């Protein structure tokens, strides 16, 4: 129906904070692809997309945006993409919906996919960023994932060029600050490399978001994982610290090690204790802390360090002070999607459903912890 293409390529994942962002794919999959806990690109080959191909995608997005704006004008909305326009695009031109959804959310944020896009030559990245911001003046934030090893290959001057061309933030999977955990999980990077890479990004004036996986040390290394992750982040002082809880689907290499008993998963209560130790040891930094991943048990442990540290620890202590049976009910309610926070347990309509499910598991002799581990895999 359209003379030139309006479709463009997208990869499989983005950070939770990029839910309303336009997803533009610069590379396919992950060049490392060995992390034991990560199922995302396993079996897929890494490739860089060509500069012309990416530029054509940006032009396709621009054409899609023009079609959507014309739909808005013909409905009397003057080019604005409101709920009604977005709904019309979804029903009549579903192939344009990604762009309509982005414009509906202001057309402000862009996330560059996939796992390690800063591997592309800096000149190419600058050209892509400049084309994006020229075509879409509404853009306020452009972010990407990057591996610390890749960041180490770039100079501060490279990052400054990228920032000046429009890149705002880099998301890095720290995962752990403990070298033994990093090595066991085959992350391919050490704590000191993570620190050096993070500091470079900060020196260049880019925003930095570091991710930690709660539970990644397993039963054997949880203390070291908590303490050394805090130590690494204290040295980096990233703008954002984001946590997500380990879940192990059969498609990740860690699954086999869990099955044969080599790696012991932690129960929810123990992960909360680990999180407490981790937060207690975050010191001298001004990062914003987020638990904005559906896999986290306590999603309201959020705040700006250092001011909100006590408030965050109080939420954890509140959970740990509940009687064991209440904690188990909360975990079940949270993992089955009925509860979001501990206060939701006061809601009788929600707690009666959770109670019914709890009794059913007891009657069938199923452990809540085992059931929860299965439920968590739905969110990967
Ligand atoms: S570097 Fe990131 S994307 Fe690649 S395997 Fe590790 S966790 Fe997965």
């Amino acid at each position: 129906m359209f003379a030139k293409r309006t479709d463009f390529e997208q990869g499989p994942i983005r950070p939770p904070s990029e839910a309303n962002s336009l997803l533009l794919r610069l590379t396919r999959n992950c060049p490392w692809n060995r992390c034991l806990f990560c199922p995302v690109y396993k079996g897929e080959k890494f490739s860089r997309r060509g500069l012309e191909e990416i530029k054509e995608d940006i032009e396709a997005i621009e054409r899609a945006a023009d079609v959507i704006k014309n739909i808005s004008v013909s409905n009397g909305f003057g080019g604005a993409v409101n709920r009604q326009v977005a709904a019309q695009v979804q029903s009549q031109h579903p192939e344009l919906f990604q762009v309509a959804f982005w414009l509906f959310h202001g057309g402000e944020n862009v996330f560059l996919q996939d796992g390690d896009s800063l591997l592309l030559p800096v000149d190419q990245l600058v050209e892509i960023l400049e084309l994006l911001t020229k075509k879409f003046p509404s853009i306020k934030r452009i972010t990407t994932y990057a591996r610390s090893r890749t960041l180490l290959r770039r100079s501060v001057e490279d990052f400054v060029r990228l920032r000046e061309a429009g890149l705002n933030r880099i998301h890095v999977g720290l995962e752990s600050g403990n070298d033994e955990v990093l090595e066991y999980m085959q992350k391919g990077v050490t704590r000191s490399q993570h620190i050096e890479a993070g500091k470079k990004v900060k020196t260049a004036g880019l925003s930095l978001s570091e991710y930690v996986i709660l539970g990644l040390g397993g039963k054997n290394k949880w203390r070291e994982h908590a303490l050394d992750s805090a130590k690494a982040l204290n040295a980096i002082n990233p703008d954002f610290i984001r946590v997500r809880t380990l879940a192990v689907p059969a498609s990740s290499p860690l699954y086999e090690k869990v099955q044969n008993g080599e790696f012991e998963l932690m129960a929810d209560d123990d992960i909360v204790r680990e999180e407490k130790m981790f937060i207690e040891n975050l010191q001298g930094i001004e990062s914003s802390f987020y638990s904005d991943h559906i896999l986290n048990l306590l999603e309201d442990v959020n705040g700006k360090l250092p001011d909100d540290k006590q408030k965050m620890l109080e939420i954890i202590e509140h959970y740990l002070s509940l009687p064991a049976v209440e904690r188990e009910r909360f975990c079940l309610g949270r993992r089955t999607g009925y509860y979001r926070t501990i206060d939701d347990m006061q809601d009788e309509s929600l707690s009666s459903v959770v109670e019914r499910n709890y009794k059913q598991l007891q009657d069938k002799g199923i452990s809540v912890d085992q059931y929860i581990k299965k439920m968590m895999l739905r969110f990967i």
Side-chain angles (χ1 to χ4, degrees), residues 34-77:
R34 293 185 216 170
C35 302
L36 294 188
F37 56 84
C38 174
V40 182
Y41 304 110
K42 294 292 182 281
E44 305 290 336
K45 214 167 158 273
F46 174 76
S47 64
R48 295 168 168 83
R49 297 190 68 213
L51 178 61
E52 287 314 310
E53 199 183 352
I54 297 166
K55 284 162 80 174
E56 278 167 23
D57 269 7
I58 296 172
E59 273 150 24
I61 294 164
E62 185 186 31
R63 281 191 289 275
D66 287 343
V67 174
I68 294 161
K69 283 175 190 162
N70 286 339
I71 292 172
S72 165
V73 170
S74 60
N75 280 285
F77 297 117

Side-chain angles (χ1 to χ4, degrees), residues 194-207:
H194 268 319
I195 293 172
E196 193 186 336
K199 282 182 166 178
K200 250 188 193 182
V201 171
K202 293 279 297 171
T203 303
L206 281 160
S207 168

Side-chain angles (χ1 to χ4, degrees), residues 287-302:
S287 314
S288 295
F289 187 103
Y290 284 101
S291 302
D292 57 352
H293 197 289
I294 185 79
L295 287 171
N296 295 326
L297 184 69
L298 302 176
E299 70 164 39
D300 49 350
V301 179
N302 301 307

Side-chain angles (χ1 to χ4, degrees), residues 100-111:
F101 180 79
W102 178 55
L103 294 174
F104 172 66
H105 287 282
E108 294 181 350
N109 302 332
V110 180
F111 178 69

Side-chain angles (χ1 to χ4, degrees), residues 13 29-42 115-116 147 173 175 186-187 244:
I13 60 164
N29 312 313
C30 169
W32 177 251
N33 216 4
R34 293 185 216 170
C35 302
L36 294 188
F37 56 84
C38 174
V40 182
Y41 304 110
K42 294 292 182 281
D116 200 12
R147 294 188 66 229
E175 329 298 9
Q186 298 183 28
K187 183 70 191 170
R244 84 171 176 89

